[in-house]
Amino acid sequence: MPETSGSGAPAARPHLTGTVVHGAGRGHGLGFPTANIAAGPDSPVPPAAVYSGWVVRHRTGAVHPATISVGSNPTFCDTAEVHVEAYCHDLAEDVYGEPVTVWFAERLRDTVKFPSPAALVRAVREDVRRSEAVLASDHGRRVRDDALAAHRSTITAP
Ligand SMILES: Cc1cc2nc3c(=O)[nH]c(=O)nc-3n(C[C@H](O)[C@H](O)[C@H](O)COP(=O)(O)O)c2cc1C
């Protein structure tokens, strides 16, 4: 995903705001529980792919490293319905019902119809490894700083 041009204003970075909703419930069994995000009306959904990024929880202001899937989960589903799912690397807590913003740092790969759930799990492990490297890079840290700055600017002073 390209760096923002010009001033690099935080709001110009690709992001998506929505609410965490229940998914099909497969993620826990596969070993990577995901937060399924219903995008808000002002948040266009990016093209189907796997991304590296950060998830900001509006209630706590915490920012979590994540690997994000945007796609129809073709390994399991035959429908065209697009799901946005974030696997937060450091978050065990249930965030159902919470508003969150996903800040996309880099596109990692195309969505694939895998021959088995085990093949998907192997690919996700590799995605997470690559995502961690992206998020630890200078670019990844800049995206995190901009995400936090954008979040703070939306909090109204008392
Ligand atoms: C990092 C990541 C990569 C994914 N890549 C694919 C993919 O290439 N193909 C696919 O069918 N599903 C992919 N998924 C989506 C999984 O199929 C989905 O998370 C799983 O079925 C659980 O769905 P649920 O939360 O609705 O239960 C990916 C999910 C994550 C977190």
Side-chain angles (χ1 to χ4, degrees), residues 23-27 30 32 34 36 50 67-69 72-76 83 85-87 109-114 120 124 127-128:
R26 271 183 307 262
L30 294 169
F32 54 91
T34 54
N36 286 252
V50 177
T67 311
I68 305 115
S69 166
S72 60
N73 299 356
T75 305
F76 301 99
H83 306 261
E85 301 184 26
Y87 169 60
R109 66 168 170 87
D110 290 341
T111 303
V112 172
K113 181 177 169 69
F114 287 99
L120 167 68
V124 169
D127 295 335
V128 171

CSV table of all heavy atoms in Angstrom, one decimal, residues 23-27 30 32 34 36 50 67-69 72-76 83 85-87 109-114 120 124 127-128, ligand 1:
chain,number,residue,atom,x,y,z
A,23,GLY,N,-18.9,-13.2,13.5
A,23,GLY,CA,-18.7,-13.9,12.3
A,23,GLY,C,-19.2,-15.3,12.3
A,23,GLY,O,-20.1,-15.6,13.1
A,24,ALA,N,-18.7,-16.2,11.5
A,24,ALA,CA,-19.2,-17.5,11.4
A,24,ALA,C,-18.7,-18.4,12.6
A,24,ALA,O,-19.2,-19.5,12.8
A,24,ALA,CB,-18.8,-18.2,10.1
A,25,GLY,N,-17.8,-17.9,13.4
A,25,GLY,CA,-17.3,-18.6,14.5
A,25,GLY,C,-16.2,-19.6,14.2
A,25,GLY,O,-15.9,-20.4,15.1
A,26,ARG,N,-15.6,-19.6,13.0
A,26,ARG,CA,-14.6,-20.6,12.7
A,26,ARG,C,-13.2,-20.2,13.2
A,26,ARG,O,-12.4,-21.1,13.4
A,26,ARG,CB,-14.5,-20.7,11.1
A,26,ARG,CG,-15.4,-21.7,10.5
A,26,ARG,CD,-15.1,-21.7,9.0
A,26,ARG,NE,-15.1,-20.3,8.4
A,26,ARG,CZ,-16.2,-19.8,7.8
A,26,ARG,NH1,-17.2,-20.6,7.6
A,26,ARG,NH2,-16.2,-18.6,7.3
A,27,GLY,N,-13.0,-18.9,13.4
A,27,GLY,CA,-11.6,-18.4,13.6
A,27,GLY,C,-11.0,-19.1,14.9
A,27,GLY,O,-9.8,-19.4,14.8
A,30,LEU,N,-9.7,-22.5,14.2
A,30,LEU,CA,-8.6,-22.5,13.3
A,30,LEU,C,-7.3,-22.0,14.0
A,30,LEU,O,-6.2,-22.1,13.5
A,30,LEU,CB,-8.8,-21.6,12.1
A,30,LEU,CG,-10.0,-22.1,11.1
A,30,LEU,CD1,-10.3,-21.0,10.1
A,30,LEU,CD2,-9.5,-23.3,10.4
A,32,PHE,N,-6.9,-18.7,14.9
A,32,PHE,CA,-6.7,-17.3,14.8
A,32,PHE,C,-8.1,-16.6,14.9
A,32,PHE,O,-8.7,-16.3,13.9
A,32,PHE,CB,-5.9,-16.9,13.5
A,32,PHE,CG,-6.5,-17.4,12.2
A,32,PHE,CD1,-7.4,-16.7,11.5
A,32,PHE,CD2,-6.1,-18.7,11.7
A,32,PHE,CE1,-7.9,-17.2,10.3
A,32,PHE,CE2,-6.6,-19.2,10.6
A,32,PHE,CZ,-7.5,-18.4,9.8
A,34,THR,N,-10.8,-13.9,14.9
A,34,THR,CA,-10.8,-12.6,14.2
A,34,THR,C,-11.9,-11.7,14.7
A,34,THR,O,-13.0,-12.2,15.1
A,34,THR,CB,-10.9,-12.8,12.7
A,34,THR,OG1,-12.1,-13.5,12.4
A,34,THR,CG2,-9.7,-13.4,12.1
A,36,ASN,N,-14.6,-9.5,13.3
A,36,ASN,CA,-15.3,-9.3,12.1
A,36,ASN,C,-15.9,-7.8,12.1
A,36,ASN,O,-16.6,-7.5,13.1
A,36,ASN,CB,-16.5,-10.3,11.9
A,36,ASN,CG,-16.0,-11.6,11.5
A,36,ASN,OD1,-16.1,-12.1,10.4
A,36,ASN,ND2,-15.4,-12.3,12.5
A,50,VAL,N,-5.2,-9.7,1.6
A,50,VAL,CA,-4.7,-9.8,3.0
A,50,VAL,C,-3.8,-8.6,3.2
A,50,VAL,O,-2.9,-8.3,2.4
A,50,VAL,CB,-4.0,-11.1,3.2
A,50,VAL,CG1,-3.5,-11.2,4.6
A,50,VAL,CG2,-5.0,-12.3,3.0
A,67,THR,N,-3.3,-8.5,11.3
A,67,THR,CA,-3.3,-9.0,10.0
A,67,THR,C,-4.7,-9.1,9.6
A,67,THR,O,-5.5,-9.7,10.3
A,67,THR,CB,-2.5,-10.3,9.8
A,67,THR,OG1,-1.3,-10.2,10.5
A,67,THR,CG2,-2.3,-10.7,8.4
A,68,ILE,N,-5.1,-8.5,8.4
A,68,ILE,CA,-6.5,-8.3,8.1
A,68,ILE,C,-6.8,-9.0,6.8
A,68,ILE,O,-6.1,-8.9,5.8
A,68,ILE,CB,-6.7,-6.7,7.9
A,68,ILE,CG1,-6.3,-6.0,9.2
A,68,ILE,CG2,-8.2,-6.5,7.6
A,68,ILE,CD1,-5.2,-5.1,9.1
A,69,SER,N,-7.9,-9.6,6.8
A,69,SER,CA,-8.5,-10.3,5.6
A,69,SER,C,-9.7,-9.5,5.1
A,69,SER,O,-10.6,-9.2,5.8
A,69,SER,CB,-8.8,-11.7,5.9
A,69,SER,OG,-9.6,-12.3,4.8
A,72,SER,N,-14.2,-12.8,0.5
A,72,SER,CA,-15.4,-13.6,0.6
A,72,SER,C,-15.1,-15.0,1.3
A,72,SER,O,-16.0,-15.8,1.3
A,72,SER,CB,-16.0,-13.8,-0.7
A,72,SER,OG,-15.1,-14.5,-1.6
A,73,ASN,N,-13.9,-15.2,1.9
A,73,ASN,CA,-13.6,-16.4,2.5
A,73,ASN,C,-13.8,-17.6,1.6
A,73,ASN,O,-14.6,-18.6,2.0
A,73,ASN,CB,-14.3,-16.6,3.9
A,73,ASN,CG,-14.0,-15.5,4.9
A,73,ASN,OD1,-13.1,-14.7,4.6
A,73,ASN,ND2,-14.6,-15.5,6.0
A,74,PRO,N,-13.2,-17.6,0.4
A,74,PRO,CA,-13.6,-18.6,-0.6
A,74,PRO,C,-13.2,-20.1,-0.2
A,74,PRO,O,-13.8,-21.0,-0.8
A,74,PRO,CB,-12.8,-18.2,-1.9
A,74,PRO,CG,-11.7,-17.4,-1.3
A,74,PRO,CD,-12.2,-16.7,-0.1
A,75,THR,N,-12.4,-20.2,0.8
A,75,THR,CA,-12.0,-21.6,1.2
A,75,THR,C,-13.3,-22.2,1.9
A,75,THR,O,-13.4,-23.5,1.8
A,75,THR,CB,-10.9,-21.5,2.3
A,75,THR,OG1,-9.8,-20.8,1.6
A,75,THR,CG2,-10.4,-22.9,2.7
A,76,PHE,N,-14.2,-21.4,2.4
A,76,PHE,CA,-15.3,-21.9,3.2
A,76,PHE,C,-16.7,-21.5,2.5
A,76,PHE,O,-17.6,-22.2,2.8
A,76,PHE,CB,-15.3,-21.4,4.6
A,76,PHE,CG,-14.1,-21.8,5.4
A,76,PHE,CD1,-13.0,-20.9,5.5
A,76,PHE,CD2,-13.9,-23.0,5.9
A,76,PHE,CE1,-11.9,-21.2,6.2
A,76,PHE,CE2,-12.8,-23.4,6.6
A,76,PHE,CZ,-11.7,-22.5,6.7
A,83,HIS,N,-16.2,-10.0,3.6
A,83,HIS,CA,-16.0,-9.8,5.0
A,83,HIS,C,-14.7,-9.1,5.3
A,83,HIS,O,-13.7,-9.3,4.6
A,83,HIS,CB,-15.9,-11.2,5.7
A,83,HIS,CG,-17.0,-12.1,5.4
A,83,HIS,ND1,-18.1,-12.3,6.3
A,83,HIS,CD2,-17.3,-12.9,4.3
A,83,HIS,CE1,-18.9,-13.2,5.7
A,83,HIS,NE2,-18.4,-13.6,4.6
A,85,GLU,N,-12.1,-8.9,8.3
A,85,GLU,CA,-11.7,-9.6,9.5
A,85,GLU,C,-10.3,-9.3,9.9
A,85,GLU,O,-9.4,-9.4,9.1
A,85,GLU,CB,-11.8,-11.1,9.3
A,85,GLU,CG,-13.1,-11.6,8.9
A,85,GLU,CD,-13.2,-13.1,8.8
A,85,GLU,OE1,-12.4,-13.8,9.5
A,85,GLU,OE2,-13.9,-13.6,8.0
A,86,ALA,N,-10.2,-8.8,11.2
A,86,ALA,CA,-8.8,-8.5,11.7
A,86,ALA,C,-8.4,-9.5,12.7
A,86,ALA,O,-9.1,-9.7,13.7
A,86,ALA,CB,-8.8,-7.1,12.3
A,87,TYR,N,-7.2,-10.1,12.5
A,87,TYR,CA,-6.6,-11.0,13.6
A,87,TYR,C,-5.6,-10.1,14.3
A,87,TYR,O,-4.6,-9.7,13.8
A,87,TYR,CB,-5.9,-12.2,13.0
A,87,TYR,CG,-5.1,-12.9,14.0
A,87,TYR,CD1,-5.6,-13.4,15.1
A,87,TYR,CD2,-3.7,-13.0,13.8
A,87,TYR,CE1,-4.8,-14.1,16.1
A,87,TYR,CE2,-2.9,-13.7,14.7
A,87,TYR,CZ,-3.5,-14.2,15.8
A,87,TYR,OH,-2.7,-14.8,16.8
A,109,ARG,N,-0.9,-10.1,0.2
A,109,ARG,CA,-1.2,-11.1,-0.9
A,109,ARG,C,-2.6,-11.1,-1.3
A,109,ARG,O,-3.5,-10.4,-0.7
A,109,ARG,CB,-0.8,-12.5,-0.4
A,109,ARG,CG,-1.7,-13.0,0.7
A,109,ARG,CD,-1.4,-14.5,0.9
A,109,ARG,NE,-2.1,-15.0,2.1
A,109,ARG,CZ,-3.3,-15.5,2.2
A,109,ARG,NH1,-4.1,-15.4,1.1
A,109,ARG,NH2,-3.8,-15.9,3.3
A,110,ASP,N,-2.9,-11.8,-2.4
A,110,ASP,CA,-4.3,-12.0,-2.9
A,110,ASP,C,-5.0,-13.0,-1.9
A,110,ASP,O,-4.4,-13.8,-1.3
A,110,ASP,CB,-4.3,-12.7,-4.3
A,110,ASP,CG,-3.8,-11.7,-5.4
A,110,ASP,OD1,-3.8,-10.5,-5.1
A,110,ASP,OD2,-3.4,-12.2,-6.4
A,111,THR,N,-6.3,-12.9,-1.9
A,111,THR,CA,-7.1,-13.9,-1.2
A,111,THR,C,-7.1,-15.1,-2.1
A,111,THR,O,-7.2,-15.1,-3.3
A,111,THR,CB,-8.6,-13.4,-1.1
A,111,THR,OG1,-8.6,-12.2,-0.3
A,111,THR,CG2,-9.5,-14.4,-0.4
A,112,VAL,N,-7.0,-16.3,-1.4
A,112,VAL,CA,-6.9,-17.6,-2.2
A,112,VAL,C,-8.0,-18.6,-1.7
A,112,VAL,O,-8.3,-18.6,-0.5
A,112,VAL,CB,-5.5,-18.2,-1.9
A,112,VAL,CG1,-5.3,-19.6,-2.4
A,112,VAL,CG2,-4.4,-17.3,-2.4
A,113,LYS,N,-8.4,-19.4,-2.6
A,113,LYS,CA,-9.3,-20.5,-2.2
A,113,LYS,C,-8.4,-21.7,-1.9
A,113,LYS,O,-7.9,-22.3,-2.9
A,113,LYS,CB,-10.3,-20.8,-3.4
A,113,LYS,CG,-11.3,-22.0,-3.0
A,113,LYS,CD,-12.2,-22.2,-4.2
A,113,LYS,CE,-13.0,-23.4,-4.1
A,113,LYS,NZ,-14.0,-23.5,-3.0
A,114,PHE,N,-8.1,-22.0,-0.7
A,114,PHE,CA,-7.2,-23.0,-0.3
A,114,PHE,C,-7.9,-24.4,-0.4
A,114,PHE,O,-9.1,-24.5,-0.2
A,114,PHE,CB,-6.7,-22.8,1.1
A,114,PHE,CG,-5.7,-21.6,1.2
A,114,PHE,CD1,-6.1,-20.4,1.6
A,114,PHE,CD2,-4.4,-21.8,0.8
A,114,PHE,CE1,-5.2,-19.3,1.7
A,114,PHE,CE2,-3.5,-20.7,0.9
A,114,PHE,CZ,-3.9,-19.5,1.3
A,120,LEU,N,-4.9,-23.1,4.7
A,120,LEU,CA,-5.2,-21.7,5.0
A,120,LEU,C,-4.4,-21.3,6.3
A,120,LEU,O,-3.8,-20.3,6.4
A,120,LEU,CB,-6.7,-21.5,5.2
A,120,LEU,CG,-7.1,-20.2,5.9
A,120,LEU,CD1,-6.8,-19.0,5.0
A,120,LEU,CD2,-8.6,-20.2,6.3
A,124,VAL,N,-1.9,-18.3,6.9
A,124,VAL,CA,-2.1,-17.2,7.8
A,124,VAL,C,-0.9,-17.0,8.8
A,124,VAL,O,-0.5,-15.9,9.1
A,124,VAL,CB,-3.4,-17.5,8.6
A,124,VAL,CG1,-3.5,-16.5,9.8
A,124,VAL,CG2,-4.6,-17.3,7.7
A,127,ASP,N,1.5,-15.1,6.9
A,127,ASP,CA,1.0,-13.7,6.8
A,127,ASP,C,1.3,-12.9,8.1
A,127,ASP,O,1.8,-11.8,8.0
A,127,ASP,CB,-0.6,-13.7,6.6
A,127,ASP,CG,-1.1,-14.3,5.3
A,127,ASP,OD1,-0.3,-14.3,4.4
A,127,ASP,OD2,-2.2,-14.7,5.3
A,128,VAL,N,1.1,-13.6,9.2
A,128,VAL,CA,1.3,-12.9,10.5
A,128,VAL,C,2.8,-12.6,10.7
A,128,VAL,O,3.2,-11.5,11.1
A,128,VAL,CB,0.7,-13.7,11.7
A,128,VAL,CG1,1.1,-13.1,13.0
A,128,VAL,CG2,-0.8,-13.8,11.5
B,1,LIG,C1,-4.6,-13.1,7.9
B,1,LIG,C2,-5.8,-13.8,7.3
B,1,LIG,C3,-5.8,-14.2,6.0
B,1,LIG,C4,-6.8,-14.9,5.4
B,1,LIG,N1,-6.7,-15.3,4.1
B,1,LIG,C5,-7.8,-16.0,3.6
B,1,LIG,C6,-7.7,-16.6,2.3
B,1,LIG,O1,-6.7,-16.4,1.5
B,1,LIG,N2,-8.7,-17.3,1.8
B,1,LIG,C7,-9.9,-17.6,2.6
B,1,LIG,O2,-10.7,-18.3,2.1
B,1,LIG,N3,-10.0,-17.0,3.8
B,1,LIG,C8,-9.0,-16.3,4.3
B,1,LIG,N4,-9.1,-15.7,5.6
B,1,LIG,C9,-10.4,-15.7,6.2
B,1,LIG,C10,-10.7,-17.0,7.0
B,1,LIG,O3,-11.4,-17.9,6.1
B,1,LIG,C11,-11.7,-16.6,8.2
B,1,LIG,O4,-11.0,-15.7,9.0
B,1,LIG,C12,-12.1,-17.8,8.9
B,1,LIG,O5,-12.9,-18.6,8.1
B,1,LIG,C13,-12.9,-17.4,10.2
B,1,LIG,O6,-14.1,-16.7,9.8
B,1,LIG,P1,-15.1,-16.3,10.9
B,1,LIG,O7,-14.5,-15.2,11.8
B,1,LIG,O8,-16.3,-15.7,10.1
B,1,LIG,O9,-15.5,-17.5,11.7
B,1,LIG,C14,-8.0,-15.1,6.2
B,1,LIG,C15,-8.1,-14.6,7.5
B,1,LIG,C16,-7.0,-13.9,8.0
B,1,LIG,C17,-7.1,-13.4,9.5
